[in-house]
PDB file of all heavy atoms in Angstrom:
ATOM      1  N   SER A   3     138.414  -1.824 -31.639  1.00 97.00           N
ATOM      2  CA  SER A   3     138.111  -0.466 -31.331  1.00 97.00           C
ATOM      3  C   SER A   3     137.026   0.104 -32.243  1.00 97.00           C
ATOM      4  O   SER A   3     136.539   1.192 -32.044  1.00 97.00           O
ATOM      5  CB  SER A   3     139.364   0.412 -31.409  1.00 97.00           C
ATOM      6  OG  SER A   3     140.328   0.010 -30.467  1.00 97.00           O
ATOM      7  N   THR A   4     136.676  -0.668 -33.300  1.00 96.00           N
ATOM      8  CA  THR A   4     135.654  -0.253 -34.271  1.00 96.00           C
ATOM      9  C   THR A   4     134.655  -1.415 -34.440  1.00 96.00           C
ATOM     10  O   THR A   4     134.705  -2.128 -35.437  1.00 96.00           O
ATOM     11  CB  THR A   4     136.265   0.135 -35.602  1.00 96.00           C
ATOM     12  OG1 THR A   4     137.154  -0.927 -36.055  1.00 96.00           O
ATOM     13  CG2 THR A   4     137.100   1.414 -35.472  1.00 96.00           C
ATOM     14  N   PRO A   5     133.752  -1.606 -33.473  1.00 94.00           N
ATOM     15  CA  PRO A   5     132.880  -2.810 -33.508  1.00 94.00           C
ATOM     16  C   PRO A   5     131.946  -2.885 -34.697  1.00 94.00           C
ATOM     17  O   PRO A   5     131.434  -3.963 -34.980  1.00 94.00           O
ATOM     18  CB  PRO A   5     132.093  -2.676 -32.187  1.00 94.00           C
ATOM     19  CG  PRO A   5     132.170  -1.223 -31.812  1.00 94.00           C
ATOM     20  CD  PRO A   5     133.505  -0.750 -32.305  1.00 94.00           C
ATOM     21  N   ALA A   6     131.715  -1.787 -35.395  1.00 94.00           N
ATOM     22  CA  ALA A   6     130.831  -1.825 -36.553  1.00 94.00           C
ATOM     23  C   ALA A   6     131.457  -2.502 -37.764  1.00 94.00           C
ATOM     24  O   ALA A   6     130.788  -2.812 -38.760  1.00 94.00           O
ATOM     25  CB  ALA A   6     130.375  -0.420 -36.959  1.00 94.00           C
ATOM     26  N   ASP A   7     132.808  -2.720 -37.711  1.00 96.00           N
ATOM     27  CA  ASP A   7     133.534  -3.315 -38.834  1.00 96.00           C
ATOM     28  C   ASP A   7     133.880  -4.787 -38.478  1.00 96.00           C
ATOM     29  O   ASP A   7     134.733  -5.029 -37.652  1.00 96.00           O
ATOM     30  CB  ASP A   7     134.824  -2.514 -39.070  1.00 96.00           C
ATOM     31  CG  ASP A   7     135.654  -3.105 -40.230  1.00 96.00           C
ATOM     32  OD1 ASP A   7     135.213  -4.047 -40.854  1.00 96.00           O
ATOM     33  OD2 ASP A   7     136.746  -2.565 -40.443  1.00 96.00           O
ATOM     34  N   PRO A   8     133.220  -5.742 -39.152  1.00 96.00           N
ATOM     35  CA  PRO A   8     133.486  -7.157 -38.810  1.00 96.00           C
ATOM     36  C   PRO A   8     134.931  -7.604 -39.133  1.00 96.00           C
ATOM     37  O   PRO A   8     135.358  -8.598 -38.603  1.00 96.00           O
ATOM     38  CB  PRO A   8     132.465  -7.908 -39.643  1.00 96.00           C
ATOM     39  CG  PRO A   8     132.103  -6.985 -40.743  1.00 96.00           C
ATOM     40  CD  PRO A   8     132.197  -5.619 -40.195  1.00 96.00           C
ATOM     41  N   THR A   9     135.633  -6.866 -39.981  1.00 97.00           N
ATOM     42  CA  THR A   9     137.020  -7.234 -40.310  1.00 97.00           C
ATOM     43  C   THR A   9     138.010  -6.704 -39.283  1.00 97.00           C
ATOM     44  O   THR A   9     139.209  -6.999 -39.370  1.00 97.00           O
ATOM     45  CB  THR A   9     137.401  -6.691 -41.684  1.00 97.00           C
ATOM     46  OG1 THR A   9     137.474  -5.259 -41.667  1.00 97.00           O
ATOM     47  CG2 THR A   9     136.418  -7.146 -42.735  1.00 97.00           C
ATOM     48  N   SER A  10     137.547  -5.915 -38.305  1.00 98.00           N
ATOM     49  CA  SER A  10     138.458  -5.256 -37.348  1.00 98.00           C
ATOM     50  C   SER A  10     138.744  -6.099 -36.103  1.00 98.00           C
ATOM     51  O   SER A  10     139.641  -5.776 -35.321  1.00 98.00           O
ATOM     52  CB  SER A  10     137.852  -3.902 -36.908  1.00 98.00           C
ATOM     53  OG  SER A  10     136.727  -4.111 -36.072  1.00 98.00           O
ATOM     54  N   TRP A  11     137.999  -7.178 -35.924  1.00 98.00           N
ATOM     55  CA  TRP A  11     138.168  -7.977 -34.716  1.00 98.00           C
ATOM     56  C   TRP A  11     139.522  -8.718 -34.735  1.00 98.00           C
ATOM     57  O   TRP A  11     139.869  -9.316 -35.740  1.00 98.00           O
ATOM     58  CB  TRP A  11     137.035  -8.989 -34.579  1.00 98.00           C
ATOM     59  CG  TRP A  11     135.693  -8.396 -34.315  1.00 98.00           C
ATOM     60  CD1 TRP A  11     134.730  -8.076 -35.235  1.00 98.00           C
ATOM     61  CD2 TRP A  11     135.180  -7.981 -33.061  1.00 98.00           C
ATOM     62  NE1 TRP A  11     133.648  -7.511 -34.622  1.00 98.00           N
ATOM     63  CE2 TRP A  11     133.876  -7.432 -33.268  1.00 98.00           C
ATOM     64  CE3 TRP A  11     135.685  -8.006 -31.736  1.00 98.00           C
ATOM     65  CZ2 TRP A  11     133.080  -6.943 -32.244  1.00 98.00           C
ATOM     66  CZ3 TRP A  11     134.871  -7.521 -30.724  1.00 98.00           C
ATOM     67  CH2 TRP A  11     133.590  -6.995 -30.974  1.00 98.00           C
ATOM     68  N   VAL A  12     140.216  -8.624 -33.595  1.00 98.00           N
ATOM     69  CA  VAL A  12     141.509  -9.321 -33.431  1.00 98.00           C
ATOM     70  C   VAL A  12     141.341 -10.403 -32.361  1.00 98.00           C
ATOM     71  O   VAL A  12     140.932 -10.123 -31.226  1.00 98.00           O
ATOM     72  CB  VAL A  12     142.600  -8.318 -33.035  1.00 98.00           C
ATOM     73  CG1 VAL A  12     143.917  -9.054 -32.786  1.00 98.00           C
ATOM     74  CG2 VAL A  12     142.771  -7.251 -34.113  1.00 98.00           C
ATOM     75  N   LEU A  13     141.708 -11.601 -32.708  1.00 98.00           N
ATOM     76  CA  LEU A  13     141.593 -12.731 -31.769  1.00 98.00           C
ATOM     77  C   LEU A  13     142.542 -12.512 -30.615  1.00 98.00           C
ATOM     78  O   LEU A  13     143.730 -12.274 -30.822  1.00 98.00           O
ATOM     79  CB  LEU A  13     141.934 -14.033 -32.511  1.00 98.00           C
ATOM     80  CG  LEU A  13     141.870 -15.314 -31.660  1.00 98.00           C
ATOM     81  CD1 LEU A  13     140.441 -15.588 -31.148  1.00 98.00           C
ATOM     82  CD2 LEU A  13     142.390 -16.509 -32.482  1.00 98.00           C
ATOM     83  N   GLU A  14     142.015 -12.621 -29.390  1.00 97.00           N
ATOM     84  CA  GLU A  14     142.838 -12.546 -28.175  1.00 97.00           C
ATOM     85  C   GLU A  14     143.231 -13.913 -27.672  1.00 97.00           C
ATOM     86  O   GLU A  14     144.343 -14.117 -27.227  1.00 97.00           O
ATOM     87  CB  GLU A  14     142.080 -11.791 -27.089  1.00 97.00           C
ATOM     88  CG  GLU A  14     141.953 -10.304 -27.329  1.00 97.00           C
ATOM     89  CD  GLU A  14     141.419  -9.582 -26.146  1.00 97.00           C
ATOM     90  OE1 GLU A  14     140.305  -9.996 -25.666  1.00 97.00           O
ATOM     91  OE2 GLU A  14     142.028  -8.650 -25.653  1.00 97.00           O
ATOM     92  N   GLY A  15     142.284 -14.863 -27.685  1.00 96.00           N
ATOM     93  CA  GLY A  15     142.595 -16.213 -27.217  1.00 96.00           C
ATOM     94  C   GLY A  15     141.670 -16.640 -26.128  1.00 96.00           C
ATOM     95  O   GLY A  15     140.563 -16.151 -25.962  1.00 96.00           O
ATOM     96  N   LEU A  16     142.139 -17.625 -25.327  1.00 98.00           N
ATOM     97  CA  LEU A  16     141.321 -18.268 -24.318  1.00 98.00           C
ATOM     98  C   LEU A  16     140.969 -17.283 -23.182  1.00 98.00           C
ATOM     99  O   LEU A  16     141.861 -16.658 -22.604  1.00 98.00           O
ATOM    100  CB  LEU A  16     142.089 -19.459 -23.767  1.00 98.00           C
ATOM    101  CG  LEU A  16     141.384 -20.304 -22.710  1.00 98.00           C
ATOM    102  CD1 LEU A  16     140.163 -20.954 -23.268  1.00 98.00           C
ATOM    103  CD2 LEU A  16     142.359 -21.380 -22.194  1.00 98.00           C
ATOM    104  N   ALA A  17     139.676 -17.177 -22.891  1.00 98.00           N
ATOM    105  CA  ALA A  17     139.258 -16.301 -21.819  1.00 98.00           C
ATOM    106  C   ALA A  17     138.800 -17.069 -20.574  1.00 98.00           C
ATOM    107  O   ALA A  17     139.129 -16.695 -19.452  1.00 98.00           O
ATOM    108  CB  ALA A  17     138.081 -15.389 -22.320  1.00 98.00           C
ATOM    109  N   ILE A  18     137.997 -18.148 -20.807  1.00 97.00           N
ATOM    110  CA  ILE A  18     137.530 -18.965 -19.688  1.00 97.00           C
ATOM    111  C   ILE A  18     137.935 -20.394 -19.961  1.00 97.00           C
ATOM    112  O   ILE A  18     137.351 -21.064 -20.830  1.00 97.00           O
ATOM    113  CB  ILE A  18     136.000 -18.885 -19.515  1.00 97.00           C
ATOM    114  CG1 ILE A  18     135.552 -17.419 -19.365  1.00 97.00           C
ATOM    115  CG2 ILE A  18     135.554 -19.731 -18.333  1.00 97.00           C
ATOM    116  CD1 ILE A  18     135.979 -16.758 -18.115  1.00 97.00           C
ATOM    117  N   PRO A  19     138.949 -20.947 -19.302  1.00 96.00           N
ATOM    118  CA  PRO A  19     139.436 -22.317 -19.533  1.00 96.00           C
ATOM    119  C   PRO A  19     138.674 -23.335 -18.700  1.00 96.00           C
ATOM    120  O   PRO A  19     137.743 -23.004 -17.954  1.00 96.00           O
ATOM    121  CB  PRO A  19     140.894 -22.241 -19.159  1.00 96.00           C
ATOM    122  CG  PRO A  19     140.891 -21.223 -18.018  1.00 96.00           C
ATOM    123  CD  PRO A  19     139.826 -20.239 -18.319  1.00 96.00           C
ATOM    124  N   GLY A  20     139.156 -24.557 -18.769  1.00 95.00           N
ATOM    125  CA  GLY A  20     138.684 -25.630 -17.842  1.00 95.00           C
ATOM    126  C   GLY A  20     137.506 -26.418 -18.414  1.00 95.00           C
ATOM    127  O   GLY A  20     137.499 -26.788 -19.569  1.00 95.00           O
ATOM    128  N   ARG A  21     136.552 -26.694 -17.562  1.00 95.00           N
ATOM    129  CA  ARG A  21     135.425 -27.527 -17.868  1.00 95.00           C
ATOM    130  C   ARG A  21     134.708 -26.979 -19.133  1.00 95.00           C
ATOM    131  O   ARG A  21     134.463 -25.747 -19.246  1.00 95.00           O
ATOM    132  CB  ARG A  21     134.461 -27.536 -16.701  1.00 95.00           C
ATOM    133  CG  ARG A  21     133.232 -28.431 -16.873  1.00 95.00           C
ATOM    134  CD  ARG A  21     132.266 -28.236 -15.684  1.00 95.00           C
ATOM    135  NE  ARG A  21     131.078 -29.054 -15.836  1.00 95.00           N
ATOM    136  CZ  ARG A  21     130.914 -30.238 -15.226  1.00 95.00           C
ATOM    137  NH1 ARG A  21     131.878 -30.714 -14.451  1.00 95.00           N
ATOM    138  NH2 ARG A  21     129.813 -30.926 -15.403  1.00 95.00           N
ATOM    139  N   PRO A  22     134.331 -27.837 -20.081  1.00 97.00           N
ATOM    140  CA  PRO A  22     133.600 -27.369 -21.266  1.00 97.00           C
ATOM    141  C   PRO A  22     132.318 -26.642 -20.890  1.00 97.00           C
ATOM    142  O   PRO A  22     131.688 -26.964 -19.850  1.00 97.00           O
ATOM    143  CB  PRO A  22     133.306 -28.640 -22.057  1.00 97.00           C
ATOM    144  CG  PRO A  22     134.387 -29.594 -21.624  1.00 97.00           C
ATOM    145  CD  PRO A  22     134.636 -29.282 -20.180  1.00 97.00           C
ATOM    146  N   HIS A  23     131.949 -25.648 -21.659  1.00 97.00           N
ATOM    147  CA  HIS A  23     130.763 -24.858 -21.370  1.00 97.00           C
ATOM    148  C   HIS A  23     130.351 -24.113 -22.645  1.00 97.00           C
ATOM    149  O   HIS A  23     130.957 -24.236 -23.709  1.00 97.00           O
ATOM    150  CB  HIS A  23     131.102 -23.855 -20.240  1.00 97.00           C
ATOM    151  CG  HIS A  23     132.275 -22.973 -20.527  1.00 97.00           C
ATOM    152  ND1 HIS A  23     133.521 -23.288 -20.112  1.00 97.00           N
ATOM    153  CD2 HIS A  23     132.377 -21.839 -21.251  1.00 97.00           C
ATOM    154  CE1 HIS A  23     134.377 -22.354 -20.498  1.00 97.00           C
ATOM    155  NE2 HIS A  23     133.689 -21.447 -21.206  1.00 97.00           N
ATOM    156  N   GLU A  24     129.276 -23.336 -22.538  1.00 97.00           N
ATOM    157  CA  GLU A  24     128.772 -22.580 -23.663  1.00 97.00           C
ATOM    158  C   GLU A  24     127.947 -21.392 -23.188  1.00 97.00           C
ATOM    159  O   GLU A  24     127.780 -21.178 -22.008  1.00 97.00           O
ATOM    160  CB  GLU A  24     127.945 -23.472 -24.582  1.00 97.00           C
ATOM    161  CG  GLU A  24     126.709 -24.086 -23.910  1.00 97.00           C
ATOM    162  CD  GLU A  24     126.044 -25.139 -24.796  1.00 97.00           C
ATOM    163  OE1 GLU A  24     126.604 -25.481 -25.861  1.00 97.00           O
ATOM    164  OE2 GLU A  24     124.949 -25.601 -24.420  1.00 97.00           O
ATOM    165  N   GLY A  25     127.456 -20.617 -24.159  1.00 97.00           N
ATOM    166  CA  GLY A  25     126.527 -19.508 -23.829  1.00 97.00           C
ATOM    167  C   GLY A  25     127.071 -18.422 -22.959  1.00 97.00           C
ATOM    168  O   GLY A  25     126.378 -18.010 -22.011  1.00 97.00           O
ATOM    169  N   PRO A  26     128.266 -17.848 -23.251  1.00 98.00           N
ATOM    170  CA  PRO A  26     128.726 -16.737 -22.378  1.00 98.00           C
ATOM    171  C   PRO A  26     127.846 -15.538 -22.459  1.00 98.00           C
ATOM    172  O   PRO A  26     127.261 -15.224 -23.515  1.00 98.00           O
ATOM    173  CB  PRO A  26     130.144 -16.442 -22.948  1.00 98.00           C
ATOM    174  CG  PRO A  26     130.058 -16.877 -24.396  1.00 98.00           C
ATOM    175  CD  PRO A  26     129.163 -18.101 -24.357  1.00 98.00           C
ATOM    176  N   LYS A  27     127.730 -14.838 -21.347  1.00 98.00           N
ATOM    177  CA  LYS A  27     126.997 -13.570 -21.283  1.00 98.00           C
ATOM    178  C   LYS A  27     127.743 -12.650 -20.358  1.00 98.00           C
ATOM    179  O   LYS A  27     128.063 -13.031 -19.186  1.00 98.00           O
ATOM    180  CB  LYS A  27     125.563 -13.771 -20.793  1.00 98.00           C
ATOM    181  CG  LYS A  27     124.776 -12.503 -20.583  1.00 98.00           C
ATOM    182  CD  LYS A  27     124.558 -11.783 -21.911  1.00 98.00           C
ATOM    183  CE  LYS A  27     123.800 -10.441 -21.671  1.00 98.00           C
ATOM    184  NZ  LYS A  27     123.594  -9.736 -22.939  1.00 98.00           N
ATOM    185  N   VAL A  28     128.062 -11.443 -20.800  1.00 97.00           N
ATOM    186  CA  VAL A  28     128.865 -10.457 -20.037  1.00 97.00           C
ATOM    187  C   VAL A  28     127.947  -9.269 -19.670  1.00 97.00           C
ATOM    188  O   VAL A  28     127.220  -8.739 -20.498  1.00 97.00           O
ATOM    189  CB  VAL A  28     130.072 -10.004 -20.836  1.00 97.00           C
ATOM    190  CG1 VAL A  28     130.832  -8.903 -20.080  1.00 97.00           C
ATOM    191  CG2 VAL A  28     130.987 -11.208 -21.094  1.00 97.00           C
ATOM    192  N   PHE A  29     128.046  -8.809 -18.409  1.00 97.00           N
ATOM    193  CA  PHE A  29     127.287  -7.674 -17.971  1.00 97.00           C
ATOM    194  C   PHE A  29     127.983  -7.018 -16.793  1.00 97.00           C
ATOM    195  O   PHE A  29     128.923  -7.581 -16.214  1.00 97.00           O
ATOM    196  CB  PHE A  29     125.837  -8.106 -17.564  1.00 97.00           C
ATOM    197  CG  PHE A  29     125.801  -9.132 -16.505  1.00 97.00           C
ATOM    198  CD1 PHE A  29     125.601  -8.813 -15.173  1.00 97.00           C
ATOM    199  CD2 PHE A  29     125.982 -10.492 -16.819  1.00 97.00           C
ATOM    200  CE1 PHE A  29     125.553  -9.794 -14.188  1.00 97.00           C
ATOM    201  CE2 PHE A  29     125.933 -11.460 -15.828  1.00 97.00           C
ATOM    202  CZ  PHE A  29     125.749 -11.097 -14.500  1.00 97.00           C
ATOM    203  N   LYS A  30     127.518  -5.825 -16.434  1.00 95.00           N
ATOM    204  CA  LYS A  30     128.111  -5.096 -15.315  1.00 95.00           C
ATOM    205  C   LYS A  30     127.062  -4.935 -14.227  1.00 95.00           C
ATOM    206  O   LYS A  30     125.914  -4.616 -14.487  1.00 95.00           O
ATOM    207  CB  LYS A  30     128.611  -3.739 -15.780  1.00 95.00           C
ATOM    208  CG  LYS A  30     129.534  -3.019 -14.787  1.00 95.00           C
ATOM    209  CD  LYS A  30     130.127  -1.763 -15.360  1.00 95.00           C
ATOM    210  CE  LYS A  30     131.159  -1.139 -14.389  1.00 95.00           C
ATOM    211  NZ  LYS A  30     131.740   0.098 -14.952  1.00 95.00           N
ATOM    212  N   LEU A  31     127.481  -5.233 -12.998  1.00 95.00           N
ATOM    213  CA  LEU A  31     126.592  -5.096 -11.856  1.00 95.00           C
ATOM    214  C   LEU A  31     127.429  -4.876 -10.573  1.00 95.00           C
ATOM    215  O   LEU A  31     128.434  -5.544 -10.393  1.00 95.00           O
ATOM    216  CB  LEU A  31     125.732  -6.372 -11.716  1.00 95.00           C
ATOM    217  CG  LEU A  31     124.587  -6.309 -10.693  1.00 95.00           C
ATOM    218  CD1 LEU A  31     123.485  -5.354 -11.170  1.00 95.00           C
ATOM    219  CD2 LEU A  31     123.952  -7.710 -10.505  1.00 95.00           C
TER     220      LEU A  31
END
């Protein structure tokens, strides 16, 4: 909730499983 603080991030876990991959990019359209 406070992205300017690097110590505030809480690990959620696996978001995209399955076949190995890299380079995620998130956007709204």
Side-chain angles (χ1 to χ4, degrees):
S3 297
T4 52
D7 179 3
T9 67
S10 69
W11 292 96
V12 176
L13 179 64
E14 288 187 305
L16 183 63
I18 305 294
R21 183 187 179 98
H23 55 265
E24 61 189 6
K27 176 64 183 181
V28 176
F29 57 98
K30 194 172 184 180
L31 190 68

